[in-house]
Amino acid sequence: MNVSLGSALDAIRRDLRNTGGIELRISEEPATTDPWYESVLLLSGRRSSTGVLAPVEMADAERLVHVADQVQEFVFEELARLELPATWPECPEHPASHPLTPVLAPGGPCWQCPKSGDAVSRIGELAS
């Protein structure tokens, strides 16, 4: 598995679409010119943006979790601006209480319930 920053973002944006999350766009403009990082600007519909960076030397599975964590933080900020609950992706085991957490589990990068520790879905495979 070779996880580029673009493919990691595609997987996470697929999870956003599948769960009714906000729409995010990717600018090809790099967030940094540091050669040790692959980077892009992530844009919301509200014209805010954030840089998403992934170390070039990071292992693929770790890279996907690292990028998911950054995107999730940006989604939290955008949901707060929209005055919506910042619980993306919402934990199906505990609705309306907390979001899932991106983690590197034994089965690979996944969304995990922070309360029970259960892996709910692989990153990129969340269903509505």
Side-chain angles (χ1 to χ4, degrees), residues 10-46:
D10 287 345
I12 299 156
R13 289 172 62 212
R14 184 170 45 253
D15 284 345
L16 273 164
R17 280 191 304 274
N18 290 346
T19 57
I22 61 174
E23 182 67 29
L24 299 176
R25 297 181 327 277
I26 300 170
S27 167
E28 294 306 316
E29 183 180 338
T32 183
T33 56
D34 186 329
W36 296 100
Y37 290 90
E38 188 177 4
S39 69
V40 296
L41 285 177
L42 198 57
L43 311 165
S44 77
R46 298 187 53 89

Side-chain angles (χ1 to χ4, degrees), residues 16-91:
L16 273 164
R17 280 191 304 274
N18 290 346
T19 57
I22 61 174
E23 182 67 29
L24 299 176
R25 297 181 327 277
I26 300 170
S27 167
E28 294 306 316
E29 183 180 338
T32 183
T33 56
D34 186 329
W36 296 100
Y37 290 90
E38 188 177 4
S39 69
V40 296
L41 285 177
L42 198 57
L43 311 165
S44 77
R46 298 187 53 89
R47 298 185 184 195
S48 58
S49 64
T50 192
V52 177
L53 292 84
V56 173
E57 298 297 322
M58 185 175 271
D60 290 344
E62 290 176 70
R63 175 184 285 253
L64 185 52
V65 172
H66 181 73
V67 172
D69 186 58
Q70 292 175 75
V71 172
Q72 185 180 45
E73 287 299 320
F74 185 58
V75 169
F76 290 164
E77 293 170 12
E78 290 304 296
L79 290 171
R81 284 188 186 102
L82 295 167
E83 298 182 6
L84 295 170
T87 56
W88 183 84
E90 184 175 52
C91 179

